[in-house]
């Protein structure tokens, strides 16, 4: 159980008084001193980090950013305590305020939580560790990231990005906590027992085809396994397709100009990329019922479409 005196002494030892690290662990109304249960302390720390990042406009980017080196060994800085092996100085510039861009990816963001746990709150380096998945997947509907500008990049014909609030990821990092369960600070998920618990569904590539350039193939995906919230899927499936907005726009001529359902007007109105600091691709979650005959006849060679032969 870290006392307030111990927390403040350690913050001073690292030179983090008045810095983001201080504001996170000593957040008004959400202080961490005196919490005896390590699992509760860990969950509260991650929640504080998420709150602070959103309140201070931290940005989710697709690289580690200017955030130290996870391979660093020795003192975190001259005269400072030693780095944790495997974590190094990863995320430290976000804690000491020297990363003025306030940007990072999921791996660094969760590393920031672990750095505070190890260096300030008394956790052993074996009690909170890195964890990850290599799946391509979409998060649960209603996900809320630490980047307040990123509200989601998956939509259907009837529900837009802000209504669904789901995000398409390829690979994702989080943490494993002292109770053996996982925690994802990036989307404020305090505890989950299985990696698939944070997934709406995972995805696989469509078949290779000469109809789609190799460079664009990653923009055509098929839902593989639905893990949660099947009731939030659009009517008309399975199967379900996740198609990049840019790729669908390139084939908009196969859709009707107007009328009910998915039209050229609707496709044109959706930007290819999110309006965030990083140009994350936008995605359409569709079913066979959303697709006109002209599109089905073209796509049947690489997408599974009931009633349409692949030609093989």
């Amino acid at each position: 159980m870290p006392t307030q005196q111990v927390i403040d002494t350690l913050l001073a030892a690292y030179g983090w008084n008045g810095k983001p690290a201080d504001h996170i662990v000593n957040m008004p109304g959400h202080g961490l001193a005196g919490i005896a249960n390590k699992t509760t302390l860990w969950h509260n720390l991650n929640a504080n980090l998420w709150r602070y990042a959103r309140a201070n406009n931290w940005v989710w980017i697709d690289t580690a950013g200017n955030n130290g080196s996870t391979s660093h060994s020795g003192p975190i800085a001259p005269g400072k305590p030693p780095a944790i092996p495997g974590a190094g100085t990863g995320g430290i510039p976000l804690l000491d305020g020297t990363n003025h861009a306030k940007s990072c990816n999921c791996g660094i963001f969760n590393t920031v939580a672990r750095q505070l746990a190890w260096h300030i709150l008394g956790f052993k380096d074996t009690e909170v560790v890195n964890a990850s998945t290599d799946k391509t997947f979409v998060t649960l509907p209603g996900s809320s990231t630490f980047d307040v500008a990123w509200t989601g990049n998956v939509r259907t014909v009837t529900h837009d990005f802000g209504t669904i609030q789901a995000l398409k990821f390829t690979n994702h990092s989080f943490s494993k906590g002292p109770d053996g369960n996982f925690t994802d600070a990036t989307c404020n998920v305090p505890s989950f027992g299985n990696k698939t618990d944070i997934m709406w569904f995972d995805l696989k590539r469509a078949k290779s085809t000469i109809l789609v350039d190799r460079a664009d193939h990653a923009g055509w995906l098929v839902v593989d396994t639905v893990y949660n919230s099947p009731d939030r899927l659009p009517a008309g499936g399975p199967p379900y397709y996740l198609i990049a907005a840019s790729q669908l726009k390139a084939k908009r001529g196969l859709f009707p100009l107007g009328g009910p359902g998915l039209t050229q007007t609707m496709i044109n109105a959706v930007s290819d990329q999110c309006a965030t600091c990083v140009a994350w691709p936008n995605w359409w979650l569709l079913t066979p019922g959303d697709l006109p005959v002209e599109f089905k006849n073209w796509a049947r060679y690489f997408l599974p479409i009931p009633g349409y032969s692949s030609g093989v």
Side-chain angles (χ1 to χ4, degrees):
M1 177 176 67
T3 65
Q4 190 64 58
Q5 182 179 4
V6 167
I7 287 174
D8 291 342
T9 298
L10 289 170
L11 287 169
Y14 286 88
W16 292 347
N17 297 94
K19 306 295 185 181
D22 188 354
H23 299 311
I24 292 166
V25 298
N26 288 320
M27 183 172 287
H30 302 281
L32 302 179
I35 298 176
N37 184 284
K38 281 200 166 182
T39 297
T40 301
L41 179 60
W42 168 242
H43 291 169
N44 289 6
L45 165 63
N46 280 267
N48 278 10
L49 173 59
W50 177 85
R51 291 186 190 102
Y52 182 84
R54 283 181 65 87
N56 289 274
N57 298 308
W58 286 20
V59 178
W60 193 329
I61 59 176
D62 55 359
T63 66
N66 185 23
N67 285 302
S69 170
T70 56
S71 61
H72 175 87
S73 61
I76 285 179
K80 304 302 180 185
I84 300 296
T89 55
I92 298 301
L94 288 166
L95 290 174
D96 64 17
T98 56
N99 179 354
H100 300 297
K102 298 183 290 188
S103 59
C104 65
N105 60 9
C106 57
I108 289 295
F109 192 78
N110 281 289
T111 299
V112 168
R114 297 193 296 272
Q115 295 280 29
L116 286 170
W118 296 322
H119 293 292
I120 303 300
L121 299 180
F123 285 79
K124 298 177 181 177
D125 59 4
T126 56
E127 289 181 303
V128 290
V129 298
N130 179 57
S132 64
T133 178
D134 60 2
K135 285 182 177 290
T136 297
F137 70 97
V138 170
T139 65
L140 296 173
S143 295
S144 183
T145 77
F146 72 84
D147 184 340
V148 71
W150 195 14
T151 57
N153 63 343
V154 175
R155 67 157 299 149
T156 67
V157 174
T158 57
H159 294 90
D160 64 16
F161 303 108
T163 301
I164 296 177
Q165 291 184 282
L167 305 107
K168 182 262 185 185
F169 291 152
T170 298
N171 305 324
H172 188 52
S173 295
F174 33 90
S175 300
K176 193 171 187 178
D179 60 350
N181 286 333
F182 302 108
T183 296
D184 183 14
T186 62
C187 292
N188 196 29
V189 184
S191 182
F192 52 105
N194 300 300
K195 294 180 180 181
T196 55
D197 290 346
I198 58 171
M199 301 177 190
W200 189 5
F201 49 80
D202 63 14
L203 299 146
K204 60 185 179 182
R205 291 275 185 99
K207 293 179 181 179
S208 296
T209 174
I210 61 173
L211 297 175
V212 177
D213 290 342
R214 185 180 297 272
D216 297 328
H217 189 222
W220 299 87
L221 301 171
V222 179
V223 172
D224 192 11
T225 302
V226 178
Y227 296 104
N228 298 286
S229 302
D231 57 309
R232 298 294 301 274
L233 290 164
Y240 304 96
Y241 319 108
L242 196 72
I243 303 173
S246 61
Q247 296 303 308
L248 199 65
K249 196 170 291 178
K251 307 308 296 185
R252 61 185 178 274
L254 298 175
F255 289 79
L257 284 170
L262 187 55
T263 64
Q264 291 186 36
T265 301
M266 193 173 189
I267 292 170
N268 287 332
V270 173
S271 61
D272 294 349
Q273 298 164 329
C274 302
T276 65
C277 183
V278 171
W280 301 106
N282 280 327
W283 297 84
W284 286 93
L285 176 59
L286 303 173
T287 72
D290 297 320
L291 308 175
V293 171
E294 293 81 1
F295 182 90
K296 290 177 180 177
N297 280 325
W298 173 79
R300 64 191 174 95
Y301 298 103
F302 63 100
L303 291 179
I305 301 177
Y308 285 74
S309 169
S310 65
V312 177

